[in-house]
Amino acid sequence: MNEQWIEQNGKSLYVKSEGKGDPILFLHGGPGGSLDYFLPEMEPLTNSMHVIFYDQKGCGKSPANPSGRYSIRDEVRDLEALRVAMDLEKITLFGESWGSILALSYAVAYPEHVSGLILTAAIGLSSEDHLAFKNALLQKLGFRQKLKFGWYSILSGITDSSRQLERLLDPFYVHSQESLVRKKDISYNREAQKQISRDIESTYDLLPVIDRIQGLPILIAQGSHDILTPAYMEAQILPHLPNADLVEVRDSGHWTVLEKPVEMRGLVEMFMNRSAHFKTFKQGGRSS
């Protein structure tokens, strides 16, 4: 794949891209993760479309923010600067986990530059949904696991306990434990993770402006065993997004790209080709 660092507004973003056709830009999770999460699983899409991956500011190979500050608003600005620098009039955004929040936040800010949204491991539209995600995850933990979680969380204020937290929580992000063998060891930007997570908890609320994207094609591909289930998406998110289609990715947890890469590539191709009526794939055949 082609590699480059794109300089905009005094910041540098590491970008990998390949392919021709309609552009689709992948937004990694975390916050603080890396584009490596999508590779090599999503790379075959380059045969049929212009695929773009990038490391968000301070993540992966992208240098840290000189100011040391990270926020949803700054990430939206970086994404817009990237679109302009790559001379892309309109883009489809694929947002995974935190990337789904970024995709939605960008779309309400710049709907005229968005062709469509594909959201997977979606977190929702507000800080309330984010809180529901955290609570649902904690409810999955047993008594001893909750004690460990509390202890590691306390230690995080003194030392880096992120690896212990990952080992504790990773099994709850997948449906099949065997899939963890394929999980990449990604180094997270913990400062970006901390600051953006606080920003989500305190400011994230798209409901007052959600009408700005109610004309966009949107696909939500949620793992059948995700922490926020397809049923949650149907009950809490679809009423605000009547233009969205919901697909249950069977036998998958939160990390759909890791567990079901073939199915996810197929959904992307169908969405980009607008060749499928996704409502027929909804859980139990229900429509919105």
Side-chain angles (χ1 to χ4, degrees), residues 59-260:
C59 302
K61 295 182 179 180
S62 292
N65 187 2
S67 72
R69 295 192 301 270
Y70 299 90
S71 68
I72 300 172
R73 179 177 295 182
D74 283 344
E75 297 302 328
V76 168
R77 289 172 176 166
D78 288 349
L79 179 49
E80 171 61 2
L82 178 61
R83 181 197 66 79
V84 172
M86 297 190 73
D87 195 24
L88 303 171
E89 178 59 30
K90 301 189 78 168
I91 50 177
T92 295
L93 296 176
F94 182 109
E96 188 270 340
S97 195
W98 139 249
S100 72
I101 292 177
L102 177 54
L104 287 161
S105 299
Y106 177 87
V108 299
Y110 300 98
E112 68 276 14
H113 294 304
V114 179
S115 299
L117 300 175
I118 303 173
L119 312 175
T120 190
I123 304 297
L125 303 172
S126 71
S127 58
E128 290 187 6
D129 296 317
H130 183 253
L131 179 60
F133 176 89
K134 292 173 64 176
N135 288 339
L137 176 59
L138 287 174
Q139 287 175 8
K140 290 177 176 288
L141 302 182
F143 179 72
R144 291 180 179 274
Q145 293 162 325
K146 287 178 179 176
L147 287 178
K148 288 183 179 180
F149 179 80
W151 175 241
Y152 294 151
S153 298
I154 292 172
L155 284 179
S156 66
I158 306 170
T159 185
D160 186 1
S161 60
S162 56
R163 293 300 182 188
Q164 293 98 316
L165 281 168
E166 284 181 19
R167 286 194 293 270
L168 175 66
L169 297 178
D170 278 1
F172 299 97
Y173 281 79
V174 295
H175 174 57
S176 171
Q177 300 301 303
E178 295 176 0
S179 62
L180 289 175
V181 176
R182 303 191 302 276
K183 179 178 178 285
K184 299 179 185 67
D185 186 15
I186 294 175
S187 295
Y188 280 76
N189 180 329
R190 298 299 170 185
E191 190 60 30
Q193 185 178 52
K194 179 173 65 175
Q195 291 189 31
I196 294 175
S197 294
R198 287 177 179 171
D199 194 22
I200 294 170
E201 292 170 359
S202 61
T203 71
Y204 181 56
D205 185 8
L206 299 182
L207 295 178
V209 292
I210 202 65
D211 60 303
R212 296 178 185 174
I213 60 171
Q214 287 180 344
L216 288 178
I218 299 175
L219 171 64
I220 302 173
Q222 202 78 350
S224 57
H225 293 75
D226 200 341
I227 295 160
L228 290 184
T229 64
Y232 182 94
M233 292 292 130
E234 185 172 42
Q236 302 298 325
I237 306 305
L238 291 190
H240 302 290
L241 291 174
N243 49 317
D245 290 315
L246 173 63
V247 175
E248 180 185 87
V249 183
R250 297 188 181 280
D251 299 323
S252 178
H254 190 65
W255 290 331
T256 53
V257 172
L258 175 68
E259 293 200 89
K260 296 293 177 179

Side-chain angles (χ1 to χ4, degrees), residues 273-285:
N273 294 329
R274 304 295 195 268
S275 61
H277 297 288
F278 288 102
K279 288 184 175 63
T280 61
F281 291 92
K282 282 189 176 181
Q283 184 185 29

